[in-house]
Amino acid sequence: MNFQLSEEQGMLREASRDLLSDRAPIEHVRAWMDRDGDDGDVDPEVWRLTADLGWPGLGLPEEYGGSGQGLVELALVAEEMGRALGRGPFAPTAIVGRALTATGSPGLRSEVLPELAAGSAWATWAFAEPRAPWSLDGVRATARVDGGAFVLDGVKTAVQDAGGARWLLVTALHDGVPASFLVERAAPGVTVRRQRTLDPTRAFHEVRLDGVHVPDDRRLGAGPGGIQRLLDEASVLRCADALGVMRRLLELTVEHTTTRVQFGQPIGAFQAVKHSAADMALLVHGAHAATHYAAMAADADTDDAARAACAAASYVSAGAGEVAARALQLHGGIGFTWEHDLHLFLRRARADSVLYGDAAVHRDRLCTLLRPSPTADS
């Protein structure tokens, strides 16, 4: 498999890294972590600059103002977001945009996608629920028909950047079958509450739906299969974010071990430290291969796209935690301190390891995908 970037993809990565390092360095991230309320979700100036760079419309069709790129290009930006601890609704907006592009009605696409592409509004996916697995089996919110509309009830958790979102893509059970609905954030019956989470570099919210009326044309055409595919794509983007975190953890560790001196020499000269750093590098390379293959498989719609997404998600979920643990060990006690940047990457890595399902969720599904069907020859 050739993972070499094209010239355009290389330029996208370079431009994304330059923007984040110049306009959203770690000092900027720390300053925004201390803000309360919805105004702390997204820096409007940084979001405007990302819109000028074309991020919001990167994966949207050209007819709606987008660039028509695929999951590979979205993953490149997501990786840079993770590497810089970037905050903002890039990933959730990209996922909702892909859902609307694939199964939204023409009228709904014409109404929403141009605004998403321009960056004048953003959207997020309200899928996970409290004390439930991040899978279709964990959906408990309900949708019932009332005249010419649907009425939604339920509670969603860990909804990224919901506070300032214009739209919420809500997954709920209609007649016992998962379905997706595009809901106005300001609709009556929608309550959004900021959550305190392990990861302070991003904003997550609880969303309550109490008798929320949604017009019939706001239901997307995706059934369980389409929603599962969207979960796979969201997992790949989460893997890309975690890959960026893992890369930065490795860089910080190499820098520390080559400058920290003990017994008259850098600690990186000791064999045990070298071996641990080499193990970190192997995990990073494995995460790169798994993530980018999954993105390429999704874009090509290959037969193994779902298996590739599960394999990447399970590998990266476990690998991110291992890289974070080794980075902390090699930094010593300084890695625990609030003043050192390492602990912010540790928190982000831990959050990425459970978003859109932890390793156990994806391994279980992978086993199901690999199990021969009952009709297959033994």
Side-chain angles (χ1 to χ4, degrees), residues 47 86 91 129 164 188 260 275 285 349:
W47 182 245
E129 301 191 14
R260 179 75 168 94
H275 285 177
H285 286 305

Side-chain angles (χ1 to χ4, degrees), residues 221-241:
I227 297 173
Q228 181 60 64
R229 175 165 180 158
L230 196 66
L231 272 175
D232 290 341
E233 294 175 353
S235 297
V236 173
L237 291 187
R238 184 264 292 177
C239 288
D241 187 279

Side-chain angles (χ1 to χ4, degrees), residues 160-303:
Q160 186 176 343
D161 297 319
R166 170 77 180 278
W167 294 284
L168 307 171
L169 181 65
V170 177
T171 301
L173 298 177
H174 177 233
D175 291 336
V177 179
S180 294
F181 306 84
L182 193 67
V183 179
E184 293 276 353
R185 158 69 177 79
V190 176
T191 304
V192 177
R193 179 182 64 86
R194 181 75 172 268
Q195 294 177 303
R196 291 181 61 86
T197 66
L198 179 67
D199 177 16
T201 66
R202 290 175 289 194
F204 294 96
H205 299 78
E206 176 190 83
V207 176
R208 287 187 173 272
L209 307 154
D210 297 312
V212 179
H213 284 72
V214 183
D216 180 71
D217 60 357
R218 296 283 169 139
R219 175 176 177 172
L220 275 64
I227 297 173
Q228 181 60 64
R229 175 165 180 158
L230 196 66
L231 272 175
D232 290 341
E233 294 175 353
S235 297
V236 173
L237 291 187
R238 184 264 292 177
C239 288
D241 187 279
L243 174 59
V245 174
M246 294 166 71
R247 288 193 191 281
R248 187 59 184 148
L249 283 169
L250 179 59
E251 292 170 359
L252 289 171
T253 303
V254 171
E255 178 183 349
H256 177 75
T257 56
T258 54
T259 56
R260 179 75 168 94
V261 175
Q262 285 281 14
F263 306 108
Q265 60 181 322
I267 62 174
F270 298 112
Q271 188 176 45
V273 174
K274 289 180 180 179
H275 285 177
S276 188
D279 288 340
M280 291 174 66
L282 286 174
L283 288 166
V284 171
H285 286 305
H288 170 85
T291 299
H292 284 271
Y293 177 77
M296 294 168 67
D299 284 342
D301 195 22
T302 61
D303 292 339

Side-chain angles (χ1 to χ4, degrees), residues 238 313-315 317-318 353 357-367:
R238 184 264 292 177
S314 61
Y315 182 89
S317 292
S353 69
D358 60 12
V361 168
H362 291 284
R363 287 170 181 166
D364 182 70
R365 180 164 177 260
L366 182 59
C367 290

